[in-house]
Amino acid sequence: MHIETLKPNKQDQRALLDWYQREKRPLPWRLSADAYRIWISEVMLQQTTVAAVLPYYERFLARFPNLGSLACASEPDVFQVWAGLGYYSRARNLLKSAKLLHEGGFPQSYVQLIEYPGFGPYTARAVSSLAFGESVGVLDCNVIRVLCRHYGLNVSWWSATVRNHLQRIADAWVMG
């Protein structure tokens, strides 16, 4: 089996969607298709757990309920609300991007979002997919693990070539 040729079948796609509908947790960022709220959750969820993020997410949105309020904030204000989540470059990039997004509006595609500070491939794809319905797959360690188990792959997923192949597979899973 060559990783370059792997594709999902309709039955597997349906099974995954059915599993998600049964097992998904009720999380506050899933209650809305608001790009701002999805973006904040995705950035906060990097390198931590859902349980750890929940109180920070609620507190952050209470202080900065929308893109405009975050765009007008000072870095010390953002850091104060962010305190305890670590990786302060994420908070700094949130503020930088908020100012830019507030000026020009929230782009609806992965290729546009990835141009903003702090929007890496995963975050740009997650926001464009969840908020705007763009058919792009996301690739993080959990998705890599699922794909490798599903296809019985034992690959060097950290290699750029392999990650590119895995990204194409993830994209194929959402293309229908």
Side-chain angles (χ1 to χ4, degrees), residues 57-114:
Y57 180 78
E58 298 295 341
R59 188 169 53 240
F60 195 91
L61 288 179
R63 176 65 180 85
F64 308 112
N66 55 46
L67 184 60
S69 61
L70 179 57
C72 293
S74 70
E75 191 172 277
D77 287 343
V78 173
F79 281 4
Q80 182 182 23
V81 179
W82 191 268
L85 270 176
Y87 302 97
Y88 286 83
S89 62
R90 293 182 295 162
R92 188 174 290 114
N93 283 331
L94 272 175
L95 185 56
K96 286 178 189 176
S97 284
K99 291 176 186 301
L100 295 169
L101 292 167
H102 188 62
E103 289 174 11
F106 229 109
Q108 297 185 11
S109 75
Y110 153 74
V111 295
Q112 292 171 307
L113 284 169
I114 201 161

Side-chain angles (χ1 to χ4, degrees), residues 5-142:
T5 62
L6 296 176
K7 293 182 176 144
N9 64 49
K10 297 285 185 198
Q11 183 179 354
D12 290 341
Q13 288 171 302
R14 174 64 16 219
L16 181 61
L17 287 171
D18 290 346
W19 173 86
Y20 175 76
Q21 288 303 319
R22 273 192 325 274
E23 302 296 329
K24 70 180 177 183
R25 293 181 280 177
L27 299 169
W29 45 84
R30 290 183 178 158
L31 300 176
S32 166
D34 178 42
Y36 174 73
R37 290 174 176 266
I38 292 167
W39 172 46
I40 298 302
S41 73
E42 291 297 338
V43 173
M44 286 186 170
L45 286 163
Q46 294 169 13
Q47 311 225 351
T48 192
T49 64
V50 169
V53 166
L54 284 167
Y56 286 95
Y57 180 78
E58 298 295 341
R59 188 169 53 240
F60 195 91
L61 288 179
R63 176 65 180 85
F64 308 112
N66 55 46
L67 184 60
S69 61
L70 179 57
C72 293
S74 70
E75 191 172 277
D77 287 343
V78 173
F79 281 4
Q80 182 182 23
V81 179
W82 191 268
L85 270 176
Y87 302 97
Y88 286 83
S89 62
R90 293 182 295 162
R92 188 174 290 114
N93 283 331
L94 272 175
L95 185 56
K96 286 178 189 176
S97 284
K99 291 176 186 301
L100 295 169
L101 292 167
H102 188 62
E103 289 174 11
F106 229 109
Q108 297 185 11
S109 75
Y110 153 74
V111 295
Q112 292 171 307
L113 284 169
I114 201 161
E115 298 298 321
Y116 288 82
F119 276 90
Y122 177 88
T123 303
R125 287 169 171 273
V127 172
S128 70
S129 173
L130 297 169
F132 304 115
E134 186 175 19
S135 291
V136 291
V138 297
L139 192 67
D140 67 0
C141 288
N142 292 318

